[in-house]
Amino acid sequence: MALTQEQQDEIAKKETYLQEKATLVKKRKSLLSALEEAESDMEEGLIQEEREALAAKIKALASKLRQIEEWETLA
């Protein structure tokens, strides 16, 4: 099966996506210590919201990377 240009472009960006995912995971982990040190419920809530947003981005990147790996096996 021939890959579309869009699929080929996404495959070319795989390393960028991997680096971005690693950065987001690192940031999310760092927020865990900030969460433990939060002094108020409001601060805790804001940190938790940020962690949840990062988790959603990480999940989306992981899905995109799985799709890229699938395309690579077809190439």
Side-chain angles (χ1 to χ4, degrees):
M1 177 179 143
L3 298 175
T4 66
Q5 185 61 44
E6 181 182 342
Q7 290 169 327
Q8 292 172 13
D9 292 345
E10 287 295 300
I11 289 171
K13 295 176 188 175
K14 181 180 179 182
E15 279 304 312
T16 303
Y17 294 145
L18 287 169
Q19 291 172 357
E20 184 179 349
K21 182 182 170 204
T23 300
L24 293 174
V25 167
K26 192 178 206 180
K27 184 173 181 179
R28 187 169 188 271
K29 284 182 181 180
S30 74
L31 286 173
L32 185 57
S33 63
L35 184 62
E36 292 169 355
E37 297 170 7
E39 296 181 6
S40 70
D41 288 343
M42 186 176 137
E43 186 179 0
E44 205 173 282
L46 292 172
I47 293 169
Q48 192 60 35
E49 283 179 20
E50 188 173 353
R51 289 189 81 238
E52 289 170 6
L54 288 170
K57 290 178 184 178
I58 292 166
K59 186 175 179 179
L61 279 171
S63 177
K64 186 179 287 197
L65 287 164
R66 278 191 302 277
Q67 182 65 60
I68 288 170
E69 289 171 0
E70 185 178 309
W71 291 335
E72 286 176 325
T73 62
L74 299 174

